[in-house]
Amino acid sequence: MPNPPVIFDIAKRKKTKRPITDWLRFSVYSHLRFLGESQIERDDETPDRKDEFAAYLGFVGRADLGRGVTGFVNAEVNVREKQTHQRSYDRIMRPSVKEALLSFPTSAIGQLSIGRLRLSDPHKWVADASVDGLHYVSKSGDKAFEFAAVQGTRNVTATYVLLHRSQAFSARRQGAFAVVEHDAEERRLHLSAYLGDQTSSRFSYQLNAATVVGNAADGRSIGVGIDARFIQKITADRWNPQITYGFAIGTPGFQQSGLHSNKTKDGGQTQFHRYGYVFQPELTNLAVATLAYGLRPSRKFSVDLSAHVYLQPSLTTSGPDARLKGATTGAAHFVGSEISVAGAWRPSKKTKLEIGAGRFLPGPAYADPSSASRVYMRLSVYF
């Protein structure tokens, strides 16, 4: 029977492969990461540059406490060094708890989880964040219902009540969300729906549509956003090439929940931002057209070359809410374009190398015409 998509499933958390006892297991992992960026901060006539090195050591533990009760924890400590065009920063160490929860069955089809947990929907368009609170899921056949009442962590300051209904067919996944967001004096209701289908061996699609009501973006009381992606496998040779056609648009009032990440894999071995590797924009008053070419020769390697074009539907002098910061002139709709590449190589089950690089070319809408770039590399080892 098809498995309906859910935003949290205790059975699918990070694997723990080393036993301590017959009820307690753990795993350890490490990452080495480099991130280089230039011209992210704009409008100051300064050639901005930032290079950051980081090392992570993580621990994952799972305890089966009996009667279906599970304890789960994922903790990390990272060490960072950063250099910019202005100065070098001292090395810092930061511990963090990504997940720490108890999960127990409430019935033959229901499961309740309490603590710090990571919510993530299939397209990461509504939720992809660590939160504190509770989550309940009920699965019956090919249908699922979820309820969550949570508080954001790290940079997410809002509280949320979330409802999710989903259903699965042989190759189709569909569902709907209702999310109430309360952030200081602002309150919003997010309503969204999604549909994904593998229509043939060579063609699949993903559709997302949403509206926000209340304290929407840009002082508006309502906004609408749409995201569509169509994936075409070209041939069935050893490289398994595919083309992704994407289009997304958000009205001036539209904004997403704040829990989202807008990342995707599209069948590859590493995630990348679906709206641009360098630009990484939100959909408020923005239209994004995407064309990507990917190779999927095996589970050990994948690479994606992507191109994006950005337009502002409504002329404004405030730049898009994106990783790049800078003002627009209010005299042109064309925000800019980007080309990027992201790939991963897994020489073994315990080792993974991920790389990404991109360049953003601003259009006439930007006051500062300087191009921006981003380079990323991460080496992961699992013990």
Side-chain angles (χ1 to χ4, degrees):
M1 182 173 292
N3 192 26
V6 296
I7 58 172
F8 181 81
D9 187 346
I10 185 61
K12 294 184 178 180
R13 302 314 304 137
K14 288 182 178 293
K15 301 300 182 183
T16 49
K17 300 181 179 180
R18 295 187 175 273
I20 299 177
T21 67
D22 57 356
W23 57 271
L24 183 62
R25 305 175 66 87
F26 78 99
S27 286
V28 179
Y29 61 89
S30 65
H31 305 304
L32 294 176
R33 192 192 77 171
F34 167 77
L35 174 63
E37 296 180 309
S38 66
Q39 290 297 96
I40 300 299
E41 300 290 339
R42 314 175 72 77
D43 302 334
D44 56 6
E45 298 183 354
T46 300
D48 303 328
R49 180 185 58 81
K50 180 182 76 172
D51 295 325
E52 183 177 85
F53 299 87
Y56 297 77
L57 181 63
F59 169 85
V60 182
R62 181 187 295 267
D64 296 321
L65 303 175
R67 296 183 181 274
V69 179
T70 301
F72 182 83
V73 63
N74 181 13
E76 270 187 2
V77 61
N78 65 74
V79 179
R80 298 169 181 258
E81 288 186 354
K82 184 170 69 173
Q83 296 180 340
T84 71
H85 59 285
Q86 293 178 323
R87 56 173 291 193
S88 296
Y89 291 82
D90 294 333
R91 183 179 302 170
I92 59 174
M93 178 181 292
R94 291 178 180 171
S96 65
V97 178
K98 302 179 72 174
E99 292 186 80
L101 61 102
L102 280 176
S103 184
F104 49 90
T106 59
S107 67
I109 60 173
Q111 188 84 13
L112 180 66
S113 302
I114 302 175
R116 175 163 295 182
L117 57 157
R118 187 173 188 88
L119 304 183
S120 183
D121 73 83
H123 301 160
K124 304 184 186 298
W125 206 67
V126 174
D128 185 33
S130 293
V131 294
D132 293 330
L134 62 89
H135 169 271
Y136 170 78
V137 60
S138 174
K139 287 186 179 182
S140 178
D142 59 0
K143 298 178 181 179
F145 169 78
E146 294 177 280
F147 168 83
V150 297
Q151 167 73 50
T153 61
R154 300 182 67 181
N155 297 328
V156 181
T157 59
T159 57
Y160 301 87
V161 174
L162 183 151
L163 301 174
H164 177 215
R165 184 73 173 177
S166 64
Q167 187 172 8
F169 302 92
S170 59
R172 179 186 299 175
R173 300 293 184 271
Q174 63 187 37
F177 286 94
V179 182
V180 178
E181 178 186 0
H182 181 196
D183 192 0
E185 300 301 318
E186 298 185 342
R187 292 175 175 83
R188 305 177 188 91
L189 172 62
H190 304 266
L191 299 174
S192 63
Y194 61 88
L195 174 64
D197 197 0
Q198 181 82 39
T199 59
S200 70
S201 61
R202 293 193 177 185
F203 188 79
S204 63
Y205 66 85
Q206 303 170 9
L207 302 177
N208 293 275
T211 184
V212 56
V213 181
N215 299 113
D218 295 337
R220 311 292 179 99
S221 60
I222 190 170
V224 177
I226 297 173
D227 175 277
R229 299 177 73 80
F230 303 89
I231 302 172
Q232 178 187 8
K233 294 184 178 180
I234 304 172
T235 61
D237 65 20
R238 62 183 299 268
W239 291 101
N240 289 321
Q242 68 178 40
I243 297 178
T244 299
Y245 311 89
F247 179 76
I249 186 169
T251 65
F254 180 69
Q255 64 183 101
Q256 291 170 266
S257 67
L259 294 173
H260 63 286
S261 71
N262 287 336
K263 292 181 179 179
T264 184
K265 277 189 175 181
D266 283 351
Q269 300 301 315
T270 186
Q271 296 184 119
F272 54 93
H273 199 287
R274 67 174 68 204
Y275 303 141
Y277 199 79
V278 183
F279 198 36
Q280 294 193 15
E282 301 294 319
L283 276 183
T284 303
N285 189 30
L286 193 69
V288 186
T290 299
L291 180 64
Y293 182 81
L295 299 177
R296 309 281 185 270
S298 70
R299 293 181 60 86
K300 291 186 176 182
F301 175 77
S302 71
V303 63
D304 291 273
L305 177 65
S306 305
H308 307 272
V309 176
Y310 309 97
L311 299 172
Q312 280 188 326
S314 179
L315 294 176
T316 176
T317 56
S318 59
D321 184 5
R323 190 176 184 90
L324 271 64
K325 306 300 180 184
T328 49
T329 63
H333 291 281
F334 180 39
V335 174
S337 59
E338 176 183 315
I339 186 168
S340 60
V341 61
W345 176 47
R346 305 184 69 168
S348 71
K349 291 184 178 180
K350 295 184 178 181
T351 308
K352 184 177 182 179
L353 177 65
E354 299 166 88
I355 60 170
R359 193 166 188 84
F360 174 80
L361 304 174
Y366 263 111
D368 186 342
S370 304
S371 60
S373 63
R374 183 171 187 250
V375 177
Y376 176 86
M377 181 179 296
R378 185 172 78 163
L379 175 65
S380 303
V381 180
Y382 302 89
F383 304 96

